[in-house]
Every structure is written in structure tokens, then in C-alpha cells.
Amino acid sequence: MKQIITSLLENDMYKFSMGQAIYHQFPSYKTTWTFKCRNNDVRFTQEMVEEIKHQIQVYCKLRFTEAELAYLDGIQWIRGSYIDFLRLWQPRYEDFEISRNAKCSLSIEAKGTWLNTSMYEIPVLAIVNEVYFRMNYDYEQVLVPSFRNKLYAKIKALIDGTYDIGTFSEFGLRRRLSAEAQDLAVSLLCRNNRLYHGSSCIGTSNVFLAKKHGVTPVGTMAHEWIMCVGQGNHKHNPAYSNWYALEAWVKEYGVLNGIALTDTITTDCFLKDFQLTYATLFSGVRHDSGDPYEWGKKMIAQYHSLGIHPTTKTLLFSDSLNFEKAHNLNTFFAGRAKVAFGIGTYLSNDTCIPPLNIVMKITSCNGQDVAKISDTPGKGMCKNPQYVEYLQRTINWRMAHE
């Protein structure tokens, strides 16, 4: 197969925003990342595994070009010190362990500094996904026509006013059908903005495509930020993970680059720390699990309780969205808050074949287990159930006693 990842800019924007903060504040942290395919019926052949190894090897030979670094340097909140680091940075194939287990499942682990391993997650998932679909199905004759037809139908639905989803971005790099498919989706969705009725595709999480098409690279923080900052220091009480993470983010960015992720250790626990200072400094919050309507109402109530008008803040929804869900959410919250959407697999890998549900999650930091307890049971991934129980107990104690 031809090379899948052709540029180190082919990564989600939040990897760079977190990467800069890691570089400045947590350069010594070490992490382990573990791949998981949640589809029970999916099998990876040995040929697929060998191709994935090859694709990761050639990815590890990439370097940032000066043109790519100049593009990053033009982003308001990226500092020159981080650009200088990226000029020297390279992925390390030695950080990976890749194999096929007895159940014909793919096993991937990445171990090393957080600075390195954080950058691997998205390219690895994109490689795995594209290898699987190209080698398991008739890509050219079946998948590509199916993808194109569905994409054209989505754009038509925006043009004829079937859906009014306001501001949205494409978030599908990690599970895209292919590089060409995502490129087509971003190009057509953004090119046709002037024809939409009330909708606007402002950009993509894929920094490479944002640069190529002259649109906004979108992304701030992921669960790994709260997990590592809050739980990677052995002296921290993990029930206060959000406070440690938000404090470090403000130290790095002030009022810039400020959409806070709420559900790493439940949104209710997040709200204990999301008080006046942070609610003022951050421009909005992101939903990634649980009932989006209840979450939105809860966040609006929090802003009201702090004397902040919710219409000055953004509710960014990013959990398994399609246009119908986004349309309904946009209608429901219209006039109550700013609303935006990050839409992934539905835009980058919607074909006649069901998409893979693959993830690569951080499972340890500085030799200690870390975990996510989101608003949807089962979305976390921790190797040590006892640590999850401990984390839940700390959350329960805080919720009951504060």
C-alpha cells in the first residue's frame, strides 16, 4: 500500500495544543498507550498486521518541514520555543510493540515520554483503519462510491435546508476511511458553505487538511490531559483532576485556546471545579459522553448560577454525532447558548460497511494506573479494576462531602 500518513501535520489540532503545554510543564512524564478494537466480530490478518507495522515505520521517518513549522508558528497561541522543539522532534518506532494475538486481534502498545506517545495516537488509528478497510473490502469499487454518494447526499441536505446545524467542524481523522476520503469531505463541506441554510463548516481537526484548504484547525484538550495532569502525580487526589488540569491549562494559555472537556471523571465532579474563574476564562465546554440535552441544560444552569450569561459561551458537542442529532441539538439550544459541533466518523467514514470502533487510550502515567470515568458507562479503559474502584471512591467522597 502507498504511504498513509505523509506529513506530521496529519494529526488532530488538540495534540499540538496539549503538546505545547506538555513540553513546557510536564516534559519528564512517561506514559503507556494501549490500542483496542471494540468491535467483537473484527479480525486482523497477519498480512494486515505486517502492513500496519510497515506504515508506522514509514510514519516514524517523517520530519516537520519548514513550511509546516511556519504554518504552526502563525497560530496565535503557539510559541516559538515549541516550534523549535518540533523542528527536532521525530516519532520513534522503538516506542511501539505491535503484534497479533491468539484471537486474531491487533495488539498495539506505545511506551515512552508523554511528549512522544501523545503524538502517536491519531496517526496510528488512521493507519489501522485505512489498512483494515483497504485490505478487507473492495475499496475502489464498493467503499469509495458508497462514501461519495453519502457525502453528496449530506451536502444536499445542508443546501436544501433539511438540516440547520449552525457551526460545525470535521473531526474524523482517527477513523477516516482513507486520506483521500477525508480530504474530499473537508474540501466539499467547506467549499459549499455559502449555499447552506444556517450551517457553516468552519474547519477540521486535521491540521494538514486545515493548512491545505485554508480553513481553521480545531481542537483544544482531550481526556489524556486531565488524566495525566490530575492522576500522573502520585501526590494528587484524583478527584481533583479537573482542577489541576484547568489550572495548568490557564497557566499555559490564559484566555486563549479555551474549550474545557467536562467528562473525564464525570461532569458533576467537573462542575465542582468549574467555578467563576475558570468559567470566565474558558470560552466554552465540550460534551463527549452522556445525554447531550441533560448535559447542556446542566452547563447552562452552571453559567447562570455564576452570573455568566450562557449566550456568551459555547457548548461544543462531539459525541457520535450525525446531522440529524446536530440539527435537533442546535434547535433545542438555539438562543440559550452558542452551539457548535465536532462531527467525526459520520463525515469521514460513512459507507455501506459499518465503521470500526477503535481507540488508543492512555493506560498509565509515571508508572501509575490512570482512568476515565465518563458520563457513559463503559467508555473508559483501564487495566486495573482496583484503581477504577479507588478513583470512583474518591469522586463519591468529594461529591458527598463538599
Side-chain angles (χ1 to χ4, degrees):
M1 288 174 55
K2 65 180 181 180
Q3 188 169 346
I4 292 173
I5 301 296
T6 60
S7 166
L8 291 181
L9 281 186
E10 282 190 277
N11 215 326
D12 279 343
M13 187 68 238
Y14 67 19
K15 288 298 182 177
F16 294 97
S17 56
M18 290 187 296
Q20 175 171 278
I22 295 167
Y23 174 66
H24 288 142
Q25 299 184 53
F26 307 100
S28 65
Y29 275 32
K30 293 187 176 181
T31 56
T32 298
W33 292 73
T34 306
F35 170 87
K36 182 177 182 179
C37 178
R38 291 169 172 164
N39 306 73
N40 294 325
D41 57 342
V42 167
R43 299 292 179 266
F44 289 86
T45 65
Q46 188 60 43
E47 290 76 13
M48 290 179 187
V49 175
E50 293 305 315
E51 183 62 33
I52 289 166
K53 287 181 180 179
H54 168 70
Q55 290 290 339
I56 294 176
Q57 284 175 333
V58 294
Y59 155 71
C60 288
K61 295 178 181 179
L62 294 171
R63 302 293 181 271
F64 284 103
T65 68
E66 286 303 315
E68 291 169 340
L69 293 172
Y71 174 78
L72 291 173
D73 198 31
I75 296 173
Q76 182 183 15
W77 44 263
I78 290 185
R79 302 187 204 173
S81 57
Y82 184 53
I83 297 297
D84 285 341
F85 164 75
L86 292 179
R87 184 171 281 111
L88 302 175
W89 183 77
Q90 63 187 78
R92 285 172 33 91
Y93 188 71
E94 294 80 7
D95 290 344
F96 291 93
E97 295 177 6
I98 308 168
S99 64
R100 178 172 176 258
N101 61 29
K103 295 181 179 180
C104 300
S105 294
L106 175 64
S107 174
I108 303 177
E109 276 206 336
K111 299 178 181 179
T113 63
W114 189 15
L115 268 173
N116 277 357
T117 53
S118 175
M119 297 291 279
Y120 300 156
E121 174 195 2
I122 307 303
V124 167
L125 291 175
I127 286 169
V128 170
N129 208 76
E130 186 162 345
V131 167
Y132 176 81
F133 280 100
R134 283 188 182 270
M135 297 185 71
N136 205 44
Y137 298 99
D138 188 336
Y139 175 81
E140 295 292 346
Q141 299 302 316
V142 176
L143 295 183
V144 170
S146 175
F147 176 81
R148 285 178 175 269
N149 290 338
K150 286 175 175 280
L151 176 62
Y152 297 153
K154 294 181 183 80
I155 292 173
K156 181 178 182 299
L158 294 178
I159 292 173
D160 67 23
T162 300
Y163 298 118
D164 175 2
I165 62 174
T167 300
F168 71 100
S169 302
E170 188 277 332
F171 272 23
L173 173 54
R174 71 188 63 206
R175 295 179 188 140
R176 68 186 183 185
L177 175 63
S178 66
E180 292 85 354
Q182 189 186 20
D183 192 346
L184 179 66
V186 172
S187 173
L188 293 182
L189 286 164
C190 293
R191 185 191 307 166
N192 287 286
N193 269 332
R194 61 185 177 82
L195 302 177
Y196 302 153
H197 289 273
S199 303
S200 178
C201 183
I202 63 166
T204 174
S205 63
N206 184 332
V207 183
F208 176 81
L209 290 182
K211 177 179 181 294
K212 178 178 179 179
H213 295 292
V215 298
T216 303
V218 181
T220 51
M221 69 175 69
H223 297 100
E224 67 175 278
W225 176 255
I226 296 99
M227 292 164 69
C228 286
V229 175
Q231 301 171 39
N233 186 325
H234 300 190
K235 297 178 181 179
H236 288 174
N237 180 336
Y240 294 82
S241 293
N242 289 303
W243 183 88
Y244 291 113
L246 295 175
E247 187 70 9
W249 197 264
V250 169
K251 178 181 178 182
E252 186 71 27
Y253 294 114
V255 298
L256 299 176
N257 202 23
I259 295 286
L261 182 58
T262 70
D263 70 330
T264 306
I265 53 171
T266 75
T267 294
D268 287 339
C269 194
F270 170 84
L271 292 177
K272 290 285 188 181
D273 294 311
F274 198 63
Q275 298 299 318
L276 185 58
T277 297
Y278 296 132
T280 301
L281 291 174
F282 282 83
S283 59
V285 286
R286 177 160 75 93
H287 170 269
D288 200 52
S289 66
D291 185 310
Y293 294 93
E294 294 304 315
W295 175 87
K297 289 187 286 186
K298 191 176 292 186
M299 295 310 308
I300 287 172
Q302 181 77 354
Y303 282 124
H304 277 306
S305 72
L306 298 172
I308 298 172
H309 204 292
T311 56
T312 66
K313 299 296 181 178
T314 298
L315 305 182
L316 174 60
F317 296 90
S318 62
D319 182 27
S320 304
L321 293 173
N322 57 33
F323 280 177
E324 181 180 5
K325 292 179 181 178
H327 173 85
N328 292 337
L329 285 165
N330 191 46
T331 301
F332 185 84
F333 289 107
R336 303 169 68 183
K338 296 178 184 177
V339 180
F341 302 96
I343 306 177
T345 307
Y346 174 71
L347 294 180
S348 68
N349 194 3
D350 187 13
T351 71
C352 56
I353 302 297
L356 292 182
N357 187 355
I358 54 175
V359 294
M360 193 164 179
K361 299 290 188 183
I362 195 163
T363 50
S364 75
C365 182
N366 296 332
Q368 176 169 289
D369 294 296
V370 293
K372 178 178 75 168
I373 299 179
S374 72
D375 297 328
T376 299
K379 288 196 77 171
M381 194 169 108
C382 180
K383 295 181 179 180
N384 184 354
Q386 290 182 322
Y387 178 77
V388 178
E389 293 172 5
Y390 160 71
L391 175 58
Q392 186 66 66
R393 288 200 307 272
T394 66
I395 295 170
N396 292 345
W397 190 95
R398 185 180 183 195
M399 298 303 295
H401 292 86
E402 282 190 7

